[in-house]
Amino acid sequence: MADLMTLRDAADVLGVDVVTLVHIIEVGDTVPTPPVPKDYKDIVFTADDIERFKTEVSRRRFLDFKSDYADVYVHDEGPGARGLEFGPGWLGILKEFCDSLREFQNAGYRARLRWGKEKFGALRLFTDHTSELAAYIGERRGIAYGKSLRTCQECGELARLRFGHSICLTLCDRHKHLVGEPNPERDGIILDVEAWSRKQREGEPG
């Protein structure tokens, strides 16, 4: 094929690092037209591929969300600023959480999302809010956390926490390959790392 683009060149055009681009390919939902070789350094892209990957990169950057929820999402600033550091499959959970922040704002309270991340396969959200709302927002944060442990962070389908030997992520059957070979001592046994850790500290079994 003529006018093929290398992995590095494609990453530069898309404005992402190579690791991010390789991850998108590994997920398997958006892949280059030429067959993907075993050695990722040899991956190439067509011009049409680049357009499809642009759409996927925008989805993973939550660009539509940031526009639609600009009234409640005020991105983190300053040294060490963080963003929305989790998979696009949790978008519905994110919107539901921000809809509740909107309700608080409409009632005259300060309630804003600053950033969020995936940790141990669960969604963690960080807010800026008036002290009166601490318990209410904490409750909604807990709801989002619980839903994330049942939702594939890649596609939003029903999922569970998957343990590989070096990583754990909440994924559906279609995306479970992202954690690699399952760790039989934990996979399917620990479904919430935070709850499991709390039980260990309290000396409870399992």
Side-chain angles (χ1 to χ4, degrees):
M1 296 182 183
D3 301 323
L4 293 179
M5 191 175 295
T6 67
L7 179 66
R8 171 65 66 181
D9 289 342
D12 290 344
V13 168
L14 293 167
V16 299
D17 57 44
V18 169
V19 173
T20 297
L21 187 50
V22 168
H23 173 72
I24 293 174
I25 295 168
E26 285 181 330
V27 170
D29 297 335
T30 304
V31 295
T33 302
V36 177
K38 287 185 177 181
D39 189 340
Y40 275 11
K41 295 192 297 294
D42 296 330
I43 293 174
V44 291
F45 300 77
T46 67
D48 287 343
D49 293 336
I50 295 300
E51 293 306 310
R52 290 189 299 106
F53 272 84
K54 281 181 180 178
T55 299
E56 179 62 10
V57 168
S58 294
R59 187 174 79 99
R60 289 177 174 274
R61 287 177 170 167
F62 300 97
L63 295 186
D64 288 343
F65 165 82
K66 290 175 180 178
S67 175
D68 294 342
Y69 285 83
D71 55 327
V72 290
Y73 173 62
V74 181
H75 63 83
D76 205 24
E77 296 179 341
R82 307 289 292 270
L84 300 177
E85 302 164 6
F86 47 85
W90 286 345
L91 176 60
I93 301 172
L94 180 65
K95 286 182 175 180
E96 186 177 275
F97 179 79
C98 286
D99 285 340
S100 67
L101 296 186
R102 219 171 233 165
E103 292 177 7
F104 293 131
Q105 282 202 158
N106 291 339
Y109 296 97
R110 186 180 79 253
R112 300 174 184 141
L113 175 68
R114 297 306 300 268
W115 64 284
K117 67 177 181 178
E118 174 272 326
K119 183 178 180 181
F120 298 131
L123 177 60
R124 319 292 177 117
L125 296 169
F126 299 84
T127 55
D128 168 31
H129 57 267
T130 54
S131 58
E132 301 96 316
L133 295 179
Y136 298 105
I137 289 181
E139 178 185 15
R140 285 155 178 79
R141 188 183 288 118
I143 292 171
Y145 174 94
K147 287 186 174 182
S148 71
L149 285 169
R150 303 189 299 273
T151 306
C152 179
Q153 63 189 64
E154 289 297 338
C155 68
E157 293 297 318
L158 187 65
R160 69 166 174 83
L161 186 64
R162 313 269 180 174
F163 263 92
H165 288 277
S166 61
I167 190 173
C168 63
L169 298 169
T170 299
L171 301 166
C172 64
D173 287 342
R174 186 158 60 91
H175 293 115
K176 64 183 180 182
H177 65 278
L178 294 173
V179 299
E181 186 70 24
N183 181 342
E185 296 182 359
R186 296 186 174 187
D187 188 57
I189 298 169
I190 301 173
L191 300 178
D192 181 339
V193 174
E194 191 170 283
W196 178 83
S197 298
R198 186 166 56 248
K199 287 182 179 180
Q200 299 305 301
R201 290 194 300 269
E202 295 169 354
E204 297 180 17

